[in-house]
Structures are given as structure tokens and as C-alpha cells.
Amino acid sequence: MKAEAVAKPHAYHGEGVIWADDWGGGHPALRYVDMLAGDVLELQPGGDVTRFHVGDVAAALRPRAGGGAIVATERGFALTRSVDFADLEHTADLWPSTHEPRTRFNDGGCAPDGSFYMGSMAYDQSEGAASMWRLAPDRSTSHVFGDVTISNGLCWSPDGTLAYYNDTPTRIIWVFDWSAETGLTNRRPFVRLEDGIGHPDGLTVDAEGGVWTALFGGSAVRRYDADGSLSEIVEVGPSLVTCPAFGGDDLDQLFITTSRENLPDDAEPDAGALFVCTPGIRGQRTLPFTS
């Protein structure tokens, strides 16, 4: 299967694509981030893209129950009830700007209990310097675990009992058990990726329990059945594929973000574009942050 560009190149580091039925006022849309520009992007009919600036970094976003959005910024969160981010409310940073190695949020997702789990990475990709954090619906925060390097791609199974996760340099898609009482527990390998196909980046889980992971440096997205067997490969033109997510009114389109971070100016002219394919499988409704 091959994905096609739905919007011309427009992002330096496109990431975190997500569909929601209501971003405020009943407004459905596909949104994602140009992470290092600090912008949330929204795909418009015809392939145009609208930008909303939210800070120095826009790492990931999710809808809020009742409308609006939450965005993970460099070291904290920003919340809005408006479609255009006009009323952004920033939370306190979770760690100081003087923290060494210098670290930022990178990727995450909302759990079935309405909390927002967000993982980090060091700007210099120092091994073991990153962590997973949890923002509860009551706005309290907690450190979940550490000793990760590039935290990526967190998404839950259809029944909510499993969560899939990438710590990119390990080349492993991990799986946790999850419950509202115990959180993320019993981390174990789900799939070990072979050499030479890129590194696992963002991921999503479809309505059948299949796990789709972007391959950064691999020009592709792969789907693994719930038993871990490879069942689909989606080819994407640019090499730096960052995140897949299902979208559209019927959740039957797979949207894919790409990056041109650190690429030469004349390399890969389609890098930074948004891609789409129709894989014949539907996604799940996006879990919101319930605050």
C-alpha cells in the first residue's frame, strides 16, 4: 500500500496527528503539530493548513471532553476551550529550564480514565534521560517512570487493558497492562523490529487491535496484528515518517505526518508533507482529556 500527499510540504517536524469530532463548538478536524515551531496545525478542505502558535514547543495534543484541546508544550501543558486557541491557559513547568541534560516533552496520549500521559526526551538524546509523566483530570501531575531515551507513540487497545509504547532507540514496540487503579504495569516487548527498516516513532491502534507504527528513517508505516505478526506495510515517500492516526468522519483514512528535521534543503522535496491512505480498517475514537 502507498500513501499519497494530501497537503504539500509545510512542516519542519510534523508529528502527533490526531482526529477529533469536537475541538470546540462541535468542530471536527484533523490536527497535528509542527513540533519545534511550537505550532498546532489543522488540515482544511482542499489541503490548506491553518496554524495556531502555542509556545516554543508543541509536542502533542488531544481533545478535551466538552470541546477544546490540551497541548503538551516544552515542559508543561496548555489548555483551551476555543477552536482558535485564543484563551490558552498554561500550567506550571514540571521541571526547570536549567535541568541538565536539557529535556522537552515529545509524545503521549490519553488513557481511558481521561488522564494525559506524556513522555519526554533530551534535546541531545542522552540515553536514559527521559521520563513518562501523567496529568490527571484534577490537574495533578505525577512521574510515572524514567530511564527512557526518546519517548514515543502511546496508544490503548480497544478494550482499554493494554497500552502500546515506543522508546525509539530500543527498536522495540513495548506493551503495558493498564487499569485505572494500577496505571501502566508489566512492561514487556510486543514486537522487536529488525535492523535496516528505520526506528519506531509514533503509533496508533485500530478498532481491531492492530498496532500501526511509523518508521523514522524507514519511509513506511507498519501494522502488526494483536498477536505481533506483521500484516501491512504502507510506503511513504519521505524517509522521516513520524506518526500515523485514523481520521475522517468514518475513521477509515490513515493520516501520516513526516519531518524534514536535519535534512539538507535540497533533499526529499516531499518531506514535511501530510500523507493519507485508505487501508480498509477503521480506527478508534480518540480518547479525550477529561478536564
Side-chain angles (χ1 to χ4, degrees):
M1 189 182 305
K2 186 173 178 60
E4 304 294 336
V6 69
K8 63 184 180 180
H10 56 277
Y12 177 69
H13 188 53
E15 260 285 10
V17 62
I18 202 76
W19 170 271
D21 295 322
D22 184 10
W23 293 103
H27 176 68
L30 186 87
R31 287 180 167 177
Y32 48 110
V33 298
D34 194 350
M35 184 183 291
L36 302 178
D39 291 345
V40 172
L41 310 182
E42 181 176 303
L43 180 67
Q44 304 297 331
D48 291 336
V49 175
T50 301
R51 285 181 177 263
F52 306 97
H53 188 67
V54 298
D56 292 338
V57 170
L61 79 158
R62 287 295 185 273
R64 294 176 69 184
I70 180 169
V71 186
T73 55
E74 187 175 39
R75 298 182 301 277
F77 300 94
L79 298 99
T80 182
R81 285 294 185 192
S82 67
V83 173
D84 61 1
F85 294 85
D87 60 348
L88 270 183
E89 172 194 355
H90 288 268
T91 67
D93 289 347
L94 273 72
W95 60 91
S97 61
T98 54
H99 179 274
E100 290 293 341
R102 191 164 164 249
T103 307
R104 63 167 172 82
F105 273 137
N106 191 60
D107 200 2
C110 283
D113 68 349
S115 59
F116 192 19
Y117 284 80
M118 271 302 303
S120 64
M121 64 172 286
Y123 279 96
D124 65 3
Q125 301 184 21
S126 295
E127 184 176 356
S131 295
M132 179 68 70
W133 295 81
R134 177 180 180 266
L135 178 68
D138 65 5
R139 307 283 186 94
S140 63
T141 58
S142 57
H143 182 267
V144 181
F145 58 82
D147 197 27
V148 295
T149 302
I150 302 178
S151 191
N152 260 313
L154 184 65
C155 193
W156 275 255
S157 61
D159 66 2
T161 63
L162 300 173
Y164 297 91
Y165 172 71
N166 292 332
D167 181 6
T168 294
T170 68
R171 305 184 58 79
I172 296 172
I173 303 173
W174 300 88
V175 61
F176 292 89
D177 295 323
W178 187 87
S179 73
E181 294 74 29
T182 61
L184 297 169
T185 59
N186 191 27
R187 175 176 168 176
R188 59 206 182 270
F190 171 64
V191 171
R192 297 180 186 272
L193 300 182
E194 63 267 33
D195 291 339
I197 65 165
H199 287 76
D201 201 318
L203 65 76
T204 192
V205 181
D206 64 38
E208 299 177 7
V211 179
W212 302 74
T213 189
L215 296 178
F216 193 82
S219 300
V221 173
R222 284 192 170 195
R223 180 187 189 268
Y224 294 91
D225 289 333
D227 64 3
S229 59
L230 178 64
S231 57
E232 186 64 75
I233 298 176
V234 180
E235 298 177 0
V236 185
S239 61
L240 305 182
V241 184
T242 55
C243 187
F246 285 88
D249 292 337
D250 296 324
L251 295 175
D252 60 350
Q253 296 176 285
L254 186 71
F255 292 90
I256 303 164
T257 49
T258 64
S259 173
R260 64 171 309 101
E261 184 182 13
N262 298 323
L263 291 176
D265 290 343
D266 58 351
E268 302 188 22
D270 288 335
L274 178 70
F275 288 78
V276 68
C277 67
T278 305
I281 298 174
R282 296 179 189 273
Q284 303 183 71
R285 294 289 170 195
T286 301
L287 296 174
F289 179 61
T290 56
S291 174

